Amino acid sequence: MRAARLIRMVLLLQSRPAMTAAELARELEVSERTVTRDAQALSEAGVPVYADRGRAGGYRLVGGYRTGLTGLARDEAEALFLSGLPSALREMGLADAASTARLKVAAALTPALRDAPDRTVHRFHLDAPGWYQEPVTPEQLPALAGAVWGDRTVRARYLRNGADAPAERELEPYGLVLKAGVWYVCARVAGDFRVYRVDRFSDVVVTEERFERDERFDLAGFWAERAAQFARSLLRAEVTVRLSPEGVRRLPYVLDRSAVGAALETAGPPDAEGWLTLTVPVESEEIAYGQLLGLGPESEVLEPVALRERFAAAAAALHGLYG
């Protein structure tokens, strides 16, 4: 939106002595002509921006000019970068800080742009949780979020999947991830980075001890790598199937994306009927049965034999129902 671009342009000029039209265009991802129009709009709105010509020229702000955006408190500034995730802010206890930050930003806008926040809210909304499940805020999430923001160590009790009782953990929480409505914390434990589901913590105590973050840690990259490893680790069995062209098209709707990619790599040339034979990685024969049923007559299970016989029995039962 133009309002956001104008704010960013002012902040860019505020942080540097001068910038050429080409540099601003590159940073703002617009044309140089748009930069010229935006500079004129800012000047007309009272922002003292001007252009110097020549080799050392460029756009500048009159010396000493500062925007009101620097009045944000730390928690407000941090929450502002999550303002597109209202449900996440609310669950982490940052809704009030984000609201205050938005008000400060709105107050700094020129009268012609004051409607920008409302226009955005009324046009875009992000709903993070998946379908068919009621979002539940994990009880320990606010405490973990506070530890993440403050770089503080945590003593916690964590119930692993399949365990009978929770185990003691001492964590250095680096970041939180919201995946399909489920919260995870990425933490360092004894020098190793691990992932924990927040809803499996039964108790969390945030200590006064601060840990020193490894500045090389990339939360997004770490999560992507671990998520891919987890998806691959679930696929412990294989099923050989024949798929019609329609079955191939519908395969991504019944299988995980990584399984679909691995299966398509095994495909040979189509047979005389145009069907492909694939080796599909699956979690188990039981789960494969439920998934491949969704393809109906567009798939034929070849192996394992026991699964093929189960599909044959299901087909006979369907024939008996529908004649």
Side-chain angles (χ1 to χ4, degrees), residues 151 174 188 193 212-218:
D151 295 337
Y174 267 60
R188 186 168 60 183
F193 287 100
E212 186 174 345
R213 293 180 66 93
D214 183 347
E215 297 301 329
R216 297 169 299 176
F217 178 78
D218 174 15

Side-chain angles (χ1 to χ4, degrees), residues 145-316:
V148 168
W149 287 118
D151 295 337
R152 296 187 182 274
T153 59
V154 164
R155 290 194 300 270
R157 292 169 60 82
Y158 184 78
L159 183 63
R160 293 185 60 185
N161 190 26
D164 296 327
E168 299 286 342
R169 293 283 188 273
E170 186 164 326
L171 314 173
E172 296 177 352
Y174 267 60
L176 288 163
V177 175
L178 178 60
K179 170 72 172 179
V182 179
W183 283 96
Y184 299 86
V185 60
C186 302
R188 186 168 60 183
V189 183
D192 184 31
F193 287 100
R194 303 178 187 176
V195 176
Y196 299 89
R197 277 185 62 141
V198 174
D199 57 6
R200 291 184 183 162
F201 285 101
S202 58
D203 185 46
V204 170
V205 177
V206 181
T207 74
E208 295 299 319
E209 180 183 353
R210 293 180 180 273
F211 62 89
E212 186 174 345
R213 293 180 66 93
D214 183 347
E215 297 301 329
R216 297 169 299 176
F217 178 78
D218 174 15
L219 178 60
F222 170 78
W223 176 260
E225 180 182 349
R226 288 301 174 93
Q229 290 177 358
F230 176 73
R232 289 193 298 268
S233 71
L234 294 177
L235 307 177
R236 303 185 182 96
E238 290 184 342
V239 173
T240 303
V241 297
R242 287 179 69 238
L243 295 179
S244 70
E246 176 62 15
V248 173
R249 188 189 70 81
R250 287 165 50 185
L251 196 61
Y253 296 97
V254 300
L255 294 181
D256 179 77
R257 181 174 58 183
S258 61
V260 173
L264 292 176
E265 290 179 357
T266 68
D271 60 20
E273 297 176 348
W275 288 45
L276 294 179
T277 299
L278 309 174
T279 300
V280 182
V282 295
E283 293 185 46
S284 66
E285 290 185 21
E286 181 65 30
I287 292 177
Y289 175 75
Q291 292 173 323
L292 296 175
L293 270 179
L295 296 178
E298 306 303 329
S299 72
E300 177 190 3
V301 174
L302 302 178
E303 293 179 347
V305 174
L307 184 60
R308 178 179 174 85
E309 291 174 348
R310 190 172 179 183
F311 270 90

Side-chain angles (χ1 to χ4, degrees), residues 9 13 17 23 30 39 43 58 62 64 165 190 246 259 266 269 288:
M9 183 174 180
L13 293 174
E23 290 171 338
V30 296
S43 179
V62 171
E246 176 62 15
T266 68

